[in-house]
Amino acid sequence: MRDEFRADLHIVSQLLVDMAEGIRSAMRQATKALLTADRQAAETVVERDAEIDELYRHVEERVCDLLARQAPVASDLRAMITALHVAADLERMGDLAEHVAKTALRRHPSPAVPAELRTIFTDMAGIADRMAEKIGSVLAKPDADLAAELDRDDDAMDDLHKNLFSVLLGDDWPYGVETAIDATLLGRFYERFADHAVNAGEHVVYLITGETASPSN
Amino acid sequence: MRDEFRADLHIVSQLLVDMAEGIRSAMRQATKALLTADRQAAETVVERDAEIDELYRHVEERVCDLLARQAPVASDLRAMITALHVAADLERMGDLAEHVAKTALRRHPSPAVPAELRTIFTDMAGIADRMAEKIGSVLAKPDADLAAELDRDDDAMDDLHKNLFSVLLGDDWPYGVETAIDATLLGRFYERFADHAVNAGEHVVYLITGETASPSN
């Protein structure tokens, strides 16, 4: 029974690692689409979001199956509930990558991001990528210190998000309202991506240390 | 055992109904704060979000306790997983109401919404309120037809969201970038509130009919 549970848990963990890889790749491609007006990259992200959704369903099915067959308690039950939380965060991160890709598509062949904002979005995407990588790592091999780094990454993302608004609200913003709206929404997509990474990390920390975190932000 | 499960399930349902009432009241107050620059209403929403988070934790604890003690299978297990999903959606709806309230606070004593957009936001808030009310009703008394109405409400919300962008992007938009950014984010908060209401409704429908819906949008 115990060995069977471990084997099932391993399958669930592997599905979560696959999801983390999927959403990392999605956000990389979406950023590429955004910064280079690459239509094909954008379309790939939109098409492949269904694969991430499918992995999410698999996690849910596996967890339900495992709860029904094995009736785990205590830390094993907690691991199952945590897996559901992490999967939900990852699924949403995939959606956010898709939103970035769709913004790129909507403006194509024009770039959705003007020259003045390229550095900020490149940096936001860099942090998003690092966070997605860390989520994948802590899921593959639990590491509370690495998971805790996600908080610092999120602070850096928030700083960039504030910088974005100062550029948009500067007296010399030359692009008008439409470009500002796109940038506002894009900024929010990257920032929410980071929030979900933090949530996912907190769930993994909870699993490792038993210390609870506040509800999602 | 069966009676005990029913009693526990009833407690979980009641917690979800309390959450639905909490987020409905939060969004009403947040809208009041937004449209009348009512600082006290805004502060109440921010303070009381902790109560919604607390209810969310209670749902999770109850469900975990119930899974551990009773090891439900089949439709009983499904009801538990559904309760977790619905609670997560409601918790997030509370956050979105808080975001609206914080936007009102940030601009106070100026109104965050200019005259030209008051009708759109009043209408969006009206739909959000109707959806929150329906979620509360279907949680108190499962009704697949009523839950299905949430999809139509969401369509109406999406139409208003599109109207909002046409006003913001009209040649005669007189307010500049800062007000457009606020309006863009506020529009997104109401629209996401509706999305989560649809998700919560789909989970309840799934519980009633066994028909699955696609992952959250």
Side-chain angles (χ1 to χ4, degrees):
Chain A
M1 186 75 163
R2 190 73 202 158
D3 284 350
E4 199 181 333
F5 180 79
R6 286 290 134 204
D8 283 339
L9 187 61
H10 182 74
I11 291 170
V12 171
S13 295
Q14 189 52 53
L15 286 169
L16 292 175
V17 171
D18 292 347
M19 283 188 85
E21 281 168 6
I23 59 100
R24 184 182 181 201
S25 161
M27 196 47 125
R28 288 173 85 114
Q29 290 283 101
T31 301
K32 185 182 166 200
L34 187 69
L35 296 179
T36 64
D38 182 334
R39 173 183 276 278
Q40 204 186 336
E43 284 170 348
T44 303
V45 176
V46 175
E47 280 161 23
R48 297 193 60 183
D49 188 55
E51 294 172 24
I52 295 166
D53 293 348
E54 187 67 17
L55 284 169
Y56 180 39
R57 270 190 293 270
H58 282 175
V59 172
E60 289 229 328
E61 281 162 17
R62 278 278 166 182
V63 168
C64 285
D65 179 58
L66 206 153
L67 290 172
R69 276 190 299 109
Q70 305 225 24
V73 294
S75 68
D76 291 349
L77 175 57
R78 198 169 69 179
M80 293 298 95
I81 302 297
T82 298
L84 293 179
H85 279 299
V86 172
D89 280 312
L90 293 171
E91 191 272 330
R92 184 68 198 147
M93 289 165 86
D95 288 344
L96 291 162
E98 191 186 9
H99 289 345
V100 171
K102 281 184 172 170
T103 307
L105 277 178
R106 206 167 53 237
R107 295 290 166 241
H108 191 272
S110 304
V113 169
E116 283 81 349
L117 297 177
R118 288 183 65 86
T119 308
I120 289 181
F121 279 106
T122 303
D123 291 350
M124 287 182 115
I127 295 173
D129 188 57
R130 208 156 68 215
M131 294 178 91
E133 186 188 13
K134 283 176 190 169
I135 291 292
S137 298
V138 297
L139 286 167
K141 186 169 174 296
D143 178 339
D145 293 333
L146 189 61
E149 281 182 23
L150 290 164
D151 261 340
R152 287 200 293 280
D153 294 329
D154 189 45
D155 289 341
M157 183 69 95
D158 288 344
D159 287 342
L160 286 169
H161 198 214
K162 279 179 204 135
N163 287 354
L164 173 65
F165 285 121
S166 10
V167 177
L168 296 179
L169 296 174
D171 289 336
D172 50 351
W173 173 251
Y175 294 101
V177 169
E178 183 163 19
T179 307
I181 289 177
D182 276 349
T184 299
L185 290 174
L186 287 167
R188 182 137 183 98
F189 300 151
Y190 284 99
E191 189 239 335
R192 290 295 300 153
F193 188 92
D195 286 344
H196 283 285
V198 169
N199 287 346
E202 281 173 354
H203 286 299
V204 178
V205 169
Y206 172 63
L207 197 59
I208 306 169
T209 67
E211 281 170 29
T212 185
S214 53
S216 59
N217 50 26
Chain B
M1 185 76 162
R2 190 75 201 156
D3 284 350
E4 198 182 332
F5 179 80
R6 286 290 133 205
D8 283 338
L9 187 60
H10 181 73
I11 291 170
V12 170
S13 295
Q14 191 51 53
L15 286 169
L16 292 176
V17 170
D18 291 347
M19 282 188 85
E21 281 168 8
I23 60 100
R24 185 183 181 202
S25 162
M27 197 47 127
R28 287 172 87 114
Q29 290 283 101
T31 300
K32 187 182 165 202
L34 187 70
L35 296 178
T36 65
D38 182 334
R39 173 183 275 278
Q40 205 186 335
E43 284 170 349
T44 303
V45 176
V46 175
E47 279 160 23
R48 296 193 62 182
D49 189 55
E51 294 171 26
I52 295 167
D53 293 348
E54 187 66 17
L55 285 169
Y56 180 38
R57 269 189 294 269
H58 283 174
V59 172
E60 288 229 331
E61 281 161 18
R62 278 277 166 184
V63 168
C64 284
D65 179 58
L66 206 152
L67 289 172
R69 275 191 301 111
Q70 306 226 22
V73 295
S75 68
D76 291 348
L77 175 58
R78 198 168 69 179
M80 292 298 96
I81 301 298
T82 298
L84 293 180
H85 278 300
V86 172
D89 279 314
L90 293 172
E91 191 272 329
R92 184 71 198 144
M93 290 165 85
D95 288 343
L96 291 162
E98 192 187 8
H99 289 345
V100 171
K102 282 186 170 170
T103 307
L105 278 179
R106 207 168 50 237
R107 296 288 165 242
H108 190 271
S110 304
V113 168
E116 283 81 350
L117 297 177
R118 288 183 65 86
T119 309
I120 290 181
F121 278 106
T122 304
D123 291 349
M124 286 182 115
I127 294 174
D129 188 57
R130 208 156 68 216
M131 294 178 89
E133 186 187 13
K134 283 177 190 169
I135 290 293
S137 298
V138 297
L139 286 168
K141 187 168 174 297
D143 178 339
D145 293 334
L146 189 60
E149 279 183 24
L150 290 164
D151 261 340
R152 286 200 294 279
D153 294 328
D154 189 46
D155 290 341
M157 183 69 94
D158 288 343
D159 287 343
L160 286 168
H161 198 213
K162 279 180 204 133
N163 287 355
L164 173 64
F165 285 121
S166 12
V167 177
L168 295 180
L169 296 175
D171 290 335
D172 49 353
W173 173 251
Y175 294 100
V177 169
E178 184 163 18
T179 308
I181 289 177
D182 275 349
T184 299
L185 290 173
L186 287 166
R188 179 132 186 103
F189 300 151
Y190 284 99
E191 188 240 335
R192 289 295 300 154
F193 188 93
D195 286 344
H196 283 285
V198 169
N199 287 347
E202 281 173 354
H203 285 299
V204 178
V205 169
Y206 172 65
L207 197 60
I208 305 169
T209 67
E211 281 171 29
T212 186
S214 54
S216 59
N217 52 26

